[in-house]
Amino acid sequence: VTGCLFTPDNSVCNDNLSCTTDTCDPTNGNADLVTGCLFTSVNSRCNDNLSCTTDTCDPINGAIGTGCLNTRDNSMCNDNLSCTTDTCSPNDGNAAHVTGCRFTSVNSRCNDNLSCTTDTCDPRNGELVTGCLFTPDNSVCNDNLSCTTDTCDPRNGELVTGCFNMPVDSRCNDGFACTTNTCDPVNANEIGTGCLITNVNSFCNDNLSCTTDTCDPENGNADPMTGCVNEAVHSRCNDNYSCTTDTCNPVFGDVSTGCLNTRDNSMCND
């Protein structure tokens, strides 16, 4: 009845935010009651191309000029490694360009409780589940004994340290044939080597009944090659004849006994 024509003019409704569609729509229930303007949020215009953010058009809380609100969501950055702290950090120079995620290594989460390993969080080279890398350090396992090979071996080593000090008997050769040479750090009788040098008398048997056969390398009378001392015991050669001089003489004596019973005619004077 009035004859009036109210023509919408969208240009009047510009809110200067790129994420909204600005229209003059007085009949829309969501339009501003005073201006008749309707500012419709379009979330798709706020895509920051980072998978760890939730991108919405929020004219009230969003950025000036765009109205966009890109909310960080740390849960989108899980790398499934227990040694990393996973955060959505788009503005961090170390964050991934595609996702915006940053995975910060935390070495303290990788303790294997073995003193001979260097424990680090290394997602690239570490374990699949944890990301931890336990690097053996043999130098930590030095027991200062020359007869052992000292390695950091968590699988076979000592429970607390992870060290494995393997005895090597060949490093204990004293050069004497009458001894057994073993690497025995617990019972060693050589300081600084870990070697146990055991004298074995049976190795010195000269098969002569008139000698006492012992392994005694430190004896000045010992054989320089074998370490044996074959001591003559004259009393073992008594033939019960008063006219003989009974001696133990391994060089000139009986082949089986070593005894030399020398006749002495002067002992038979009647």
Side-chain angles (χ1 to χ4, degrees):
V1 178
T2 62
C4 294
L5 179 64
F6 302 104
T7 304
D9 182 359
N10 292 337
S11 65
V12 179
C13 293
N14 186 8
D15 63 358
N16 294 311
L17 297 176
S18 61
C19 77
T20 59
T21 298
D22 307 333
T23 58
C24 179
D25 189 358
T27 61
N28 191 302
N30 294 317
D32 186 279
L33 295 178
V34 176
T35 63
C37 291
L38 179 66
F39 305 107
T40 305
S41 296
V42 183
N43 291 336
S44 61
R45 294 181 182 178
C46 292
N47 185 9
D48 61 0
N49 294 313
L50 297 175
S51 62
C52 77
T53 58
T54 301
D55 306 327
T56 56
C57 179
D58 185 343
I60 296 176
N61 300 305
I64 298 174
T66 65
C68 290
L69 181 64
N70 306 105
T71 306
R72 300 175 182 183
D73 184 356
N74 291 337
S75 67
M76 302 296 291
C77 293
N78 186 7
D79 63 358
N80 295 311
L81 297 176
S82 60
C83 78
T84 59
T85 298
D86 309 332
T87 56
C88 180
S89 307
N91 298 325
D92 192 308
N94 294 314
H97 297 299
V98 176
T99 64
C101 294
R102 180 179 180 181
F103 305 107
T104 305
S105 297
V106 183
N107 292 336
S108 61
R109 296 181 182 177
C110 292
N111 186 9
D112 63 358
N113 294 313
L114 296 176
S115 60
C116 77
T117 59
T118 300
D119 308 333
T120 56
C121 179
D122 187 342
R124 178 173 296 181
N125 302 305
E127 296 178 349
L128 292 178
V129 176
T130 64
C132 293
L133 181 65
F134 304 107
T135 306
D137 182 359
N138 293 336
S139 66
V140 178
C141 294
N142 184 9
D143 61 2
N144 295 310
L145 297 176
S146 60
C147 78
T148 58
T149 298
D150 307 327
T151 57
C152 179
D153 185 351
R155 178 173 296 180
N156 300 305
E158 201 267 335
L159 292 178
V160 176
T161 64
C163 292
F164 183 51
N165 306 103
M166 182 175 67
V168 182
D169 292 340
S170 61
R171 296 181 181 177
C172 291
N173 187 8
D174 66 353
F176 293 107
C178 75
T179 60
T180 55
N181 310 141
T182 56
C183 180
D184 185 348
V186 175
N187 301 303
N189 51 16
E190 282 196 351
I191 298 175
T193 66
C195 293
L196 177 63
I197 310 300
T198 305
N199 296 341
V200 183
N201 292 335
S202 63
F203 291 169
C204 293
N205 185 7
D206 61 1
N207 294 311
L208 297 176
S209 60
C210 77
T211 58
T212 298
D213 306 327
T214 57
C215 178
D216 188 3
E218 296 181 359
N219 190 307
N221 295 318
D223 186 283
M225 298 297 293
T226 65
C228 292
V229 178
N230 303 106
E231 183 179 4
V233 181
H234 301 309
S235 61
R236 295 182 181 178
C237 292
N238 184 8
D239 60 1
N240 293 313
Y241 291 112
S242 61
C243 72
T244 58
T245 301
D246 305 327
T247 58
C248 179
N249 189 326
V251 177
F252 299 105
D254 181 81
V255 174
S256 61
T257 64
C259 291
L260 181 64
N261 304 105
T262 306
R263 298 177 184 180
D264 184 356
N265 293 332
S266 66
M267 301 295 291
C268 294
N269 185 6
D270 60 359

